[in-house]
Amino acid sequence: MRTSILTPLALLFLTPLTHAYTGDLTYYDPGMGSCGIQSGPNDHIVALSREIMQNGANPNANPKCGSMIGIWNPNTKTKHQAKIVDTCVGCKAHDIDVSPALFKEIAP
């Protein structure tokens, strides 16, 4: 299940990524992600778009896997961190999918 909020969020990629983006936030039921990392609904994890992930032949070897990003909600003025574990095939370039627990924290 994917649900979106209407307010754009700023994504601040932490080391080794150094870009900032604005996009929509959705949530999904995590499991085994494209990075080969098993995650659950209470983990602080994120799936990025195909455009940002740019997976090669073996997405488990993607250097973005396991990196942390910061997610800024301008409405609540709160920042949250999440680990990159998956690719969101239905996301637009700068949208992200997060776990249900993280979604509730970011967009209460």
XYZ file of all heavy atoms in Angstrom:
808
model
N 0.842 -1.171 0.000
C 0.000 0.000 0.000
C 0.884 1.230 0.000
O 1.841 1.325 0.735
C -0.882 -0.002 1.234
C -1.586 1.318 1.444
S -2.470 1.402 2.999
C -4.104 1.487 2.347
N 0.559 2.188 -0.839
C 1.298 3.443 -0.888
C 0.319 4.564 -0.634
O -0.719 4.631 -1.249
C 1.964 3.608 -2.244
C 3.006 2.539 -2.504
C 3.713 2.743 -3.802
N 4.531 3.919 -3.663
C 4.650 4.848 -4.596
N 4.024 4.746 -5.719
N 5.416 5.887 -4.409
N 0.667 5.437 0.285
C -0.145 6.599 0.600
C 0.756 7.811 0.532
O 1.889 7.764 0.987
C -0.733 6.487 2.020
O -1.489 5.293 2.087
C -1.602 7.675 2.340
N 0.268 8.901 -0.020
C 1.123 10.079 -0.107
C 0.537 11.229 0.688
O -0.655 11.273 0.964
C 1.318 10.499 -1.563
O 0.224 11.228 -2.023
N 1.422 12.124 1.077
C 0.984 13.369 1.678
C 1.181 14.447 0.631
O 1.988 14.299 -0.274
C 1.741 13.694 2.979
C 3.231 13.879 2.709
C 1.515 12.629 4.018
C 3.990 14.370 3.911
N 0.453 15.526 0.737
C 0.498 16.559 -0.281
C 1.684 17.500 -0.123
O 2.086 18.144 -1.070
C -0.805 17.359 -0.261
C -2.058 16.524 -0.539
C -3.293 17.391 -0.406
C -1.988 15.890 -1.912
N 2.235 17.581 1.060
C 3.320 18.510 1.317
C 4.644 17.947 0.846
O 5.009 16.841 1.220
C 3.419 18.803 2.820
O 2.150 19.248 3.259
C 4.467 19.843 3.107
N 5.382 18.701 0.031
C 6.700 18.229 -0.370
C 7.652 18.208 0.824
O 7.527 18.989 1.751
C 7.163 19.254 -1.401
C 6.029 20.157 -1.650
C 5.008 19.937 -0.596
N 8.594 17.301 0.777
C 9.608 17.189 1.811
C 10.968 17.396 1.193
O 11.189 17.076 0.040
C 9.559 15.801 2.455
C 8.252 15.431 3.119
C 8.277 13.976 3.532
C 7.999 16.317 4.314
N 11.876 17.922 1.949
C 13.245 18.075 1.479
C 14.043 16.854 1.909
O 13.940 16.415 3.051
C 13.862 19.344 2.046
N 14.803 16.302 0.991
C 15.660 15.159 1.291
C 17.100 15.654 1.322
O 17.585 16.207 0.357
C 15.532 14.092 0.211
C 14.135 13.607 -0.092
C 14.200 12.560 -1.188
C 13.498 13.059 1.148
N 17.745 15.453 2.423
C 19.125 15.866 2.566
C 19.975 14.618 2.684
O 19.951 13.939 3.700
C 19.291 16.732 3.816
C 18.348 17.921 3.913
C 18.461 18.560 5.282
C 18.642 18.920 2.821
N 20.675 14.298 1.635
C 21.483 13.088 1.638
C 22.732 13.311 2.465
O 23.458 14.263 2.269
C 21.849 12.686 0.212
C 20.685 12.197 -0.559
C 20.027 13.023 -1.443
C 20.232 10.906 -0.385
C 18.937 12.567 -2.149
C 19.147 10.441 -1.100
C 18.494 11.275 -1.982
N 22.962 12.407 3.393
C 24.141 12.475 4.227
C 25.280 11.726 3.551
O 25.100 11.092 2.534
C 23.830 11.882 5.601
C 22.614 12.504 6.303
C 22.354 11.807 7.622
C 22.824 13.987 6.526
N 26.443 11.759 4.106
C 27.616 11.143 3.528
C 27.314 9.707 3.100
O 26.696 8.992 3.854
C 28.757 11.148 4.561
O 28.865 12.468 5.073
C 30.069 10.738 3.969
N 27.707 9.251 1.921
C 28.539 9.939 0.959
C 27.756 10.758 -0.063
O 28.338 11.315 -0.965
C 29.266 8.796 0.271
C 28.271 7.688 0.259
C 27.500 7.851 1.564
N 26.437 10.806 0.051
C 25.636 11.572 -0.894
C 25.565 13.024 -0.441
O 25.532 13.309 0.746
C 24.228 10.979 -0.981
C 24.169 9.496 -1.321
C 22.739 8.999 -1.237
C 24.735 9.244 -2.690
N 25.499 13.944 -1.388
C 25.562 15.356 -1.017
C 24.546 16.220 -1.752
O 24.796 17.381 -1.974
C 26.973 15.906 -1.282
O 27.280 15.715 -2.665
C 28.010 15.240 -0.413
N 23.415 15.674 -2.119
C 22.412 16.421 -2.861
C 21.185 16.675 -1.993
O 20.919 15.934 -1.055
C 21.988 15.647 -4.112
C 23.088 15.463 -5.100
N 24.019 14.468 -4.971
C 23.408 16.142 -6.202
C 24.868 14.546 -5.980
N 24.525 15.557 -6.739
N 20.428 17.689 -2.336
C 19.155 17.958 -1.670
C 18.059 17.957 -2.734
O 18.244 18.478 -3.829
C 19.192 19.294 -0.954
N 16.919 17.362 -2.420
C 15.793 17.252 -3.334
C 14.517 17.586 -2.590
O 14.461 17.525 -1.367
C 15.660 15.823 -3.883
C 16.868 15.313 -4.620
C 17.809 14.530 -3.964
C 17.063 15.612 -5.960
C 18.923 14.051 -4.639
C 18.165 15.133 -6.628
C 19.095 14.359 -5.969
O 20.191 13.889 -6.635
N 13.467 17.871 -3.334
C 12.131 18.065 -2.773
C 11.186 17.123 -3.508
O 11.198 17.068 -4.739
C 11.653 19.519 -2.954
O 12.568 20.383 -2.285
C 10.273 19.719 -2.382
N 10.385 16.376 -2.740
C 9.469 15.432 -3.365
C 8.377 15.009 -2.405
O 8.273 15.533 -1.298
N 7.555 14.067 -2.841
C 6.450 13.563 -2.030
C 6.894 12.360 -1.207
O 7.803 11.625 -1.586
C 5.270 13.159 -2.912
C 4.567 14.359 -3.530
O 4.611 15.446 -2.930
O 3.974 14.201 -4.605
N 6.207 12.165 -0.098
C 6.482 11.069 0.823
C 5.348 10.064 0.746
O 4.179 10.432 0.798
C 6.594 11.622 2.245
C 6.739 10.616 3.367
C 8.135 10.012 3.333
C 6.488 11.295 4.702
N 5.702 8.785 0.616
C 4.724 7.701 0.655
C 5.267 6.628 1.588
O 6.440 6.662 1.968
C 4.471 7.099 -0.746
O 5.711 6.683 -1.308
C 3.803 8.103 -1.668
N 4.399 5.675 1.951
C 4.889 4.557 2.761
C 4.522 3.247 2.099
O 3.627 3.191 1.265
C 4.375 4.628 4.200
C 2.907 4.367 4.379
C 2.424 3.079 4.566
C 1.992 5.410 4.372
C 1.081 2.833 4.754
C 0.640 5.176 4.552
C 0.189 3.887 4.740
O -1.147 3.647 4.914
N 5.244 2.210 2.479
C 5.018 0.876 1.923
C 5.318 -0.162 2.987
O 5.877 0.158 4.029
C 5.871 0.655 0.670
C 7.356 0.477 0.911
C 7.966 -0.748 0.683
C 8.154 1.530 1.349
C 9.331 -0.924 0.892
C 9.515 1.361 1.553
C 10.096 0.140 1.328
O 11.440 -0.035 1.532
N 4.942 -1.396 2.733
C 5.234 -2.495 3.644
C 6.587 -3.082 3.261
O 6.700 -3.800 2.276
C 4.140 -3.568 3.566
C 2.804 -3.062 4.079
O 2.801 -2.337 5.094
O 1.766 -3.395 3.473
N 7.630 -2.780 4.032
C 8.964 -3.244 3.660
C 9.152 -4.736 3.889
O 8.392 -5.371 4.622
C 9.884 -2.432 4.573
C 9.042 -2.002 5.711
C 7.629 -1.952 5.224
N 10.143 -5.254 3.263
C 10.554 -6.655 3.382
C 11.992 -6.732 2.944
O 12.825 -5.958 3.392
N 12.286 -7.629 2.000
C 13.628 -7.699 1.432
C 13.734 -6.628 0.356
O 13.029 -6.664 -0.652
C 13.876 -9.081 0.812
C 15.253 -9.230 0.183
S 16.621 -9.074 1.335
C 16.416 -10.565 2.287
N 14.584 -5.646 0.565
C 14.733 -4.539 -0.379
C 15.719 -4.860 -1.488
O 16.420 -5.877 -1.454
N 15.789 -3.974 -2.460
C 16.687 -4.175 -3.600
C 18.155 -4.174 -3.172
O 19.006 -4.648 -3.912
C 16.448 -3.106 -4.671
O 16.800 -1.820 -4.189
N 18.448 -3.662 -1.973
C 19.823 -3.670 -1.460
C 20.174 -4.993 -0.788
O 21.300 -5.172 -0.323
C 20.005 -2.530 -0.452
S 19.916 -0.888 -1.198
N 19.205 -5.907 -0.696
C 19.447 -7.180 -0.041
C 19.357 -7.086 1.475
O 19.857 -7.948 2.187
N 18.703 -6.033 1.965
C 18.550 -5.805 3.398
C 17.096 -6.071 3.782
O 16.184 -5.487 3.194
C 18.946 -4.360 3.774
C 20.418 -4.102 3.407
C 18.692 -4.089 5.250
C 20.836 -2.649 3.519
N 16.895 -6.948 4.767
C 15.552 -7.252 5.269
C 15.140 -6.148 6.249
O 15.896 -5.816 7.158
C 15.553 -8.612 5.973
C 14.211 -9.040 6.512
C 13.224 -9.413 5.417
O 13.588 -9.961 4.384
N 11.970 -9.109 5.636
N 13.953 -5.590 6.076
C 13.461 -4.514 6.938
C 12.020 -4.772 7.331
O 11.283 -5.460 6.622
C 13.543 -3.168 6.215
O 14.856 -2.901 5.800
N 11.624 -4.185 8.442
C 10.260 -4.321 8.935
C 9.553 -2.980 9.024
O 10.150 -1.931 8.800
N 8.266 -2.989 9.384
C 7.446 -1.778 9.395
C 7.869 -0.745 10.435
O 7.496 0.420 10.321
C 6.041 -2.297 9.685
C 6.232 -3.625 10.333
C 7.514 -4.177 9.772
N 8.653 -1.137 11.437
C 9.083 -0.194 12.465
C 10.494 0.337 12.262
O 10.960 1.164 13.038
C 8.973 -0.843 13.847
C 7.528 -1.135 14.191
O 6.645 -0.314 13.974
N 7.278 -2.321 14.708
N 11.171 -0.129 11.218
C 12.531 0.332 10.932
C 12.506 1.704 10.251
O 11.586 2.010 9.503
C 13.258 -0.665 10.028
C 13.466 -2.008 10.698
O 13.653 -2.031 11.934
O 13.438 -3.027 9.988
N 13.514 2.493 10.505
C 13.640 3.805 9.856
C 14.396 3.618 8.544
O 15.606 3.815 8.468
C 14.344 4.796 10.769
C 13.460 5.299 11.851
N 13.682 6.479 12.477
C 12.319 4.808 12.405
C 12.732 6.694 13.382
N 11.902 5.682 13.350
N 13.641 3.231 7.511
C 14.237 2.910 6.212
C 13.554 3.707 5.111
O 12.442 4.225 5.287
C 14.156 1.396 5.914
C 12.729 0.841 6.051
C 15.065 0.632 6.855
C 11.982 0.767 4.775
N 14.238 3.772 3.966
C 13.722 4.528 2.830
C 14.037 3.790 1.533
O 15.059 3.123 1.414
C 14.314 5.959 2.804
C 15.815 5.935 2.639
C 13.669 6.825 1.724
N 13.112 3.911 0.579
C 13.313 3.449 -0.795
C 13.359 4.685 -1.676
O 12.462 5.537 -1.611
C 12.176 2.528 -1.230
N 14.402 4.802 -2.480
C 14.567 5.944 -3.381
C 14.157 5.560 -4.793
O 14.124 4.380 -5.147
C 16.023 6.400 -3.382
C 16.614 6.807 -2.031
C 18.072 7.234 -2.208
C 15.808 7.919 -1.394
N 13.892 6.547 -5.618
C 13.458 6.314 -6.999
C 14.551 5.642 -7.828
O 15.731 5.668 -7.481
C 13.088 7.643 -7.659
O 14.264 8.429 -7.852
N 14.136 5.051 -8.931
C 15.088 4.425 -9.862
C 16.116 5.441 -10.341
O 17.290 5.116 -10.502
C 14.355 3.867 -11.081
C 13.557 2.642 -10.821
C 12.891 2.198 -12.101
N 12.063 1.031 -11.874
C 11.400 0.414 -12.815
N 11.468 0.852 -14.060
N 10.664 -0.634 -12.532
N 15.650 6.679 -10.584
C 16.532 7.724 -11.110
C 17.664 8.042 -10.135
O 18.796 8.278 -10.542
C 15.749 9.001 -11.427
C 14.821 8.885 -12.607
C 13.452 8.281 -12.255
O 13.228 7.863 -11.104
O 12.596 8.226 -13.146
N 17.351 8.041 -8.847
C 18.389 8.340 -7.857
C 19.218 7.104 -7.547
O 20.439 7.171 -7.436
C 17.773 8.942 -6.579
C 17.212 10.329 -6.888
C 18.816 9.022 -5.468
C 16.501 10.990 -5.742
N 18.584 5.955 -7.427
C 19.314 4.723 -7.107
C 20.269 4.310 -8.223
O 21.382 3.898 -7.959
C 18.351 3.586 -6.792
C 17.696 3.690 -5.451
S 18.819 3.677 -4.058
C 19.180 1.927 -3.899
N 19.829 4.405 -9.469
C 20.663 4.019 -10.615
C 21.335 2.664 -10.388
O 22.556 2.528 -10.472
C 21.698 5.094 -10.919
C 21.090 6.415 -11.306
C 22.116 7.492 -11.574
O 23.302 7.335 -11.323
N 21.649 8.616 -12.095
N 20.514 1.656 -10.102
C 21.024 0.311 -9.847
C 21.712 -0.265 -11.075
O 21.251 -0.096 -12.195
C 19.882 -0.630 -9.442
C 19.361 -0.321 -8.059
O 20.121 -0.015 -7.161
N 18.060 -0.397 -7.889
N 22.798 -0.955 -10.848
C 23.486 -1.670 -11.912
C 22.934 -3.077 -12.017
O 21.813 -3.364 -11.571
N 23.723 -3.966 -12.576
C 23.298 -5.352 -12.755
C 23.008 -6.032 -11.421
O 22.122 -6.872 -11.328
C 24.374 -6.124 -13.520
N 23.738 -5.660 -10.371
C 23.524 -6.222 -9.041
C 23.169 -5.081 -8.086
O 24.063 -4.425 -7.544
C 24.765 -6.961 -8.551
C 24.585 -7.539 -7.163
O 23.508 -7.455 -6.573
N 25.642 -8.103 -6.634
N 21.872 -4.833 -7.842
C 21.495 -3.710 -6.978
C 22.000 -3.854 -5.544
O 22.134 -2.863 -4.839
C 19.973 -3.701 -7.026
C 19.572 -5.036 -7.538
C 20.709 -5.554 -8.357
N 22.324 -5.081 -5.115
C 22.893 -5.281 -3.779
C 24.240 -4.583 -3.637
O 24.659 -4.253 -2.534
C 23.083 -6.773 -3.479
C 21.768 -7.481 -3.269
O 21.335 -7.618 -2.150
N 21.159 -7.918 -4.348
N 24.925 -4.357 -4.744
C 26.242 -3.731 -4.730
C 26.169 -2.209 -4.880
O 27.199 -1.552 -4.996
C 27.103 -4.321 -5.837
N 24.981 -1.652 -4.897
C 24.815 -0.203 -5.054
C 25.478 0.516 -3.875
O 25.168 0.240 -2.721
C 23.325 0.148 -5.126
C 23.076 1.585 -5.514
O 23.779 2.490 -5.117
N 22.041 1.786 -6.308
N 26.380 1.471 -4.145
C 27.049 2.175 -3.047
C 26.104 3.033 -2.193
O 26.456 3.407 -1.077
C 28.099 3.037 -3.748
C 27.645 3.147 -5.157
C 26.853 1.902 -5.453
N 24.902 3.309 -2.687
C 23.929 4.073 -1.899
C 23.307 3.209 -0.796
O 22.827 3.733 0.205
C 22.843 4.640 -2.810
C 23.349 5.693 -3.779
C 22.240 6.166 -4.700
C 22.748 7.154 -5.711
N 23.451 6.539 -6.827
N 23.317 1.900 -0.991
C 22.724 0.985 -0.013
C 23.390 1.137 1.346
O 24.617 1.162 1.441
C 22.844 -0.457 -0.492
S 21.825 -0.830 -1.933
N 22.563 1.270 2.368
C 23.068 1.412 3.724
C 23.410 2.830 4.121
O 23.658 3.100 5.295
N 23.436 3.748 3.152
C 23.696 5.160 3.468
C 22.498 5.755 4.186
O 21.377 5.276 4.053
C 23.958 5.963 2.191
O 25.121 5.512 1.546
N 22.745 6.799 4.927
C 21.684 7.489 5.655
C 21.301 8.779 4.925
O 22.156 9.421 4.312
C 22.148 7.834 7.067
C 22.535 6.633 7.904
S 21.167 5.502 8.246
C 20.214 6.468 9.418
N 20.008 9.112 4.975
C 19.550 10.399 4.456
C 18.800 11.118 5.571
O 18.291 10.508 6.511
C 18.640 10.277 3.213
C 17.314 9.602 3.562
C 19.351 9.552 2.085
C 16.267 9.752 2.472
N 18.747 12.421 5.448
C 17.924 13.237 6.327
C 16.670 13.636 5.574
O 16.720 13.940 4.388
N 15.538 13.605 6.259
C 14.253 13.967 5.653
C 13.695 15.128 6.461
O 13.465 15.008 7.665
C 13.281 12.773 5.675
C 13.898 11.566 4.973
C 11.942 13.166 5.025
C 13.174 10.263 5.225
N 13.488 16.240 5.812
C 13.023 17.463 6.468
C 11.578 17.727 6.097
O 11.231 17.762 4.912
C 13.894 18.632 6.034
C 13.411 19.977 6.458
C 12.809 20.912 5.660
C 13.470 20.555 7.759
N 12.510 22.028 6.397
C 12.899 21.836 7.691
C 13.952 20.109 8.989
C 12.797 22.673 8.788
C 13.850 20.947 10.080
C 13.287 22.206 9.974
N 10.714 17.897 7.094
C 9.320 18.268 6.866
C 9.190 19.752 7.183
O 9.265 20.143 8.346
C 8.374 17.442 7.742
C 6.911 17.749 7.456
O 6.572 18.820 6.965
N 6.048 16.806 7.761
N 8.998 20.603 6.165
C 8.926 22.048 6.406
C 7.686 22.460 7.199
O 7.694 23.515 7.827
C 8.927 22.652 5.003
C 8.461 21.564 4.111
C 8.877 20.272 4.750
N 6.633 21.655 7.185
C 5.420 22.005 7.936
C 5.626 21.853 9.436
O 5.175 22.682 10.223
C 4.231 21.151 7.495
C 3.763 21.516 6.110
O 3.934 22.644 5.669
N 3.201 20.562 5.408
N 6.275 20.770 9.843
C 6.484 20.520 11.270
C 7.862 20.978 11.733
O 8.158 20.930 12.918
C 6.328 19.018 11.587
O 7.304 18.289 10.836
C 4.928 18.533 11.252
N 8.704 21.356 10.765
C 10.074 21.790 11.046
C 10.862 20.704 11.790
O 11.613 20.978 12.717
C 10.081 23.095 11.837
C 9.211 24.185 11.204
C 10.007 25.385 10.869
C 9.172 26.550 10.386
N 8.461 26.370 9.196
N 10.671 19.461 11.348
C 11.359 18.338 11.961
C 12.234 17.622 10.938
O 11.913 17.569 9.755
C 10.371 17.324 12.559
O 9.474 16.884 11.541
C 9.585 17.936 13.715
N 13.340 17.070 11.437
C 14.258 16.311 10.598
C 14.322 14.880 11.120
O 14.359 14.655 12.328
C 15.651 16.928 10.621
C 16.649 16.222 9.741
C 18.011 16.881 9.824
C 19.024 16.087 9.044
N 20.368 16.629 9.208
N 14.331 13.932 10.199
C 14.380 12.515 10.526
C 15.457 11.865 9.676
O 15.755 12.327 8.578
C 13.026 11.861 10.241
C 11.897 12.552 10.921
N 11.444 12.189 12.162
C 11.152 13.616 10.550
C 10.459 12.981 12.526
N 10.259 13.854 11.554
N 16.022 10.771 10.172
C 17.019 10.029 9.416
C 16.487 8.657 9.045
O 15.696 8.071 9.782
C 18.307 9.869 10.223
C 19.073 11.157 10.369
C 20.443 10.920 10.962
O 20.709 9.908 11.598
N 21.329 11.866 10.743
N 16.933 8.175 7.887
C 16.520 6.854 7.418
C 17.658 6.220 6.631
O 18.455 6.910 5.991
C 15.280 6.957 6.542
N 17.700 4.886 6.674
C 18.712 4.127 5.942
C 18.153 3.726 4.579
O 17.025 3.244 4.468
C 19.089 2.868 6.715
C 20.181 2.052 6.022
C 20.362 0.680 6.619
C 20.943 0.740 7.990
N 21.323 -0.615 8.492
N 18.948 3.901 3.531
C 18.560 3.503 2.174
C 18.684 1.989 2.058
O 19.765 1.436 2.235
C 19.453 4.187 1.120
C 19.337 5.707 1.224
C 19.089 3.702 -0.279
C 20.363 6.466 0.406
N 17.531 1.327 1.769
C 17.527 -0.138 1.676
C 16.816 -0.672 0.429
O 16.826 -1.869 0.191
C 16.864 -0.781 2.916
C 17.628 -0.441 4.182
C 15.400 -0.389 3.037
N 16.186 0.217 -0.355
C 15.330 -0.284 -1.426
C 15.197 0.747 -2.539
O 15.558 1.914 -2.380
C 13.941 -0.598 -0.849
C 13.174 -1.642 -1.642
O 13.642 -2.065 -2.715
O 12.081 -2.027 -1.183
N 14.633 0.278 -3.658
C 14.317 1.124 -4.808
C 12.805 1.226 -4.926
O 12.113 0.206 -4.883
C 14.893 0.514 -6.100
O 16.302 0.336 -5.935
C 14.620 1.404 -7.301
N 12.304 2.430 -5.074
C 10.865 2.660 -5.246
C 10.578 2.772 -6.738
O 10.806 3.823 -7.345
C 10.442 3.936 -4.515
S 8.694 4.327 -4.737
N 10.068 1.706 -7.319
C 9.836 1.698 -8.765
C 8.666 2.587 -9.171
O 8.611 3.066 -10.297
C 9.635 0.266 -9.302
C 10.909 -0.533 -9.161
C 8.493 -0.430 -8.604
N 7.728 2.868 -8.268
C 6.586 3.710 -8.594
C 6.775 5.173 -8.251
O 5.878 5.985 -8.485
N 7.920 5.531 -7.712
C 8.169 6.920 -7.303
C 8.638 7.768 -8.479
O 9.378 7.286 -9.342
C 9.248 6.966 -6.219
S 8.741 6.345 -4.614
N 8.242 9.028 -8.463
C 8.822 9.993 -9.387
C 10.249 10.262 -8.921
O 10.636 9.881 -7.818
C 7.998 11.272 -9.404
C 6.615 11.069 -9.982
C 5.835 12.356 -9.983
C 4.418 12.097 -10.482
N 3.574 13.274 -10.341
N 11.013 10.967 -9.717
C 12.450 11.137 -9.491
C 12.826 11.508 -8.059
O 13.767 10.947 -7.504
C 13.018 12.158 -10.460
N 12.122 12.419 -7.421
C 12.530 12.898 -6.104
C 11.576 12.508 -4.984
O 11.660 13.055 -3.881
C 12.739 14.409 -6.137
C 13.792 14.811 -7.111
N 13.696 15.940 -7.882
C 14.949 14.205 -7.491
C 14.747 16.026 -8.672
N 15.520 14.980 -8.449
N 10.671 11.577 -5.248
C 9.764 11.067 -4.213
C 10.448 9.933 -3.469
O 11.387 9.315 -3.979
C 8.474 10.539 -4.834
C 7.669 11.627 -5.533
O 7.947 12.828 -5.316
O 6.755 11.267 -6.288
N 9.966 9.648 -2.248
C 10.517 8.543 -1.477
C 9.401 7.734 -0.837
O 8.307 8.230 -0.594
C 11.496 9.014 -0.389
C 10.809 9.944 0.617
C 12.724 9.662 -0.996
C 11.651 10.270 1.838
N 9.706 6.480 -0.571
C 8.855 5.546 0.173
C 9.559 5.265 1.494
O 10.768 5.013 1.503
C 8.739 4.226 -0.599
C 7.364 3.961 -1.171
O 6.440 4.731 -0.895
O 7.230 2.960 -1.891
N 8.824 5.283 2.585
C 9.402 4.978 3.897
C 8.556 3.918 4.584
O 7.461 3.592 4.136
C 9.510 6.240 4.783
C 10.433 7.271 4.163
C 8.148 6.856 5.071
N 9.046 3.414 5.702
C 8.291 2.445 6.489
C 7.076 3.127 7.111
O 7.056 4.357 7.282
C 9.175 1.872 7.591
O 9.508 2.891 8.522
N 6.049 2.355 7.480
C 4.866 2.955 8.106
C 5.182 3.720 9.396
O 4.641 4.815 9.618
C 3.963 1.745 8.403
C 4.343 0.740 7.365
C 5.834 0.926 7.187
N 6.080 3.200 10.224
C 6.417 3.891 11.480
C 7.088 5.235 11.213
O 6.760 6.234 11.849
C 7.314 3.007 12.332
N 8.008 5.261 10.263
C 8.685 6.516 9.946
C 7.723 7.509 9.321
O 7.768 8.709 9.618
C 9.875 6.260 9.029
C 10.755 7.467 8.696
C 11.263 8.152 9.971
C 11.914 7.057 7.810
N 6.805 7.025 8.479
C 5.799 7.894 7.882
C 4.990 8.600 8.975
O 4.762 9.804 8.908
C 4.867 7.074 6.988
C 3.865 7.898 6.241
C 4.133 8.433 5.000
C 2.608 8.154 6.805
C 3.197 9.193 4.321
C 1.662 8.912 6.134
C 1.964 9.432 4.876
N 4.579 7.849 10.013
C 3.794 8.431 11.111
C 4.588 9.490 11.874
O 4.015 10.454 12.360
C 3.316 7.345 12.065
C 2.233 6.493 11.488
C 1.823 5.396 12.443
C 0.823 4.450 11.794
N 0.506 3.316 12.673
N 5.904 9.299 11.975
C 6.732 10.287 12.648
C 6.907 11.552 11.813
O 6.863 12.663 12.344
C 8.120 9.713 12.945
C 8.132 8.701 14.053
C 9.540 8.219 14.341
O 10.523 8.950 14.087
O 9.659 7.085 14.831
N 7.094 11.368 10.515
C 7.350 12.513 9.641
C 6.083 13.304 9.363
O 6.096 14.534 9.365
C 7.968 12.047 8.297
C 9.325 11.402 8.555
C 8.087 13.210 7.327
C 9.898 10.700 7.330
N 4.991 12.609 9.116
C 3.723 13.253 8.753
C 2.616 12.822 9.703
O 1.744 12.045 9.338
C 3.367 12.886 7.314
N 2.667 13.326 10.953
C 1.677 12.886 11.954
C 0.269 13.338 11.628
O 0.044 14.283 10.950
C 2.175 13.511 13.236
C 3.084 14.617 12.841
C 3.581 14.302 11.472
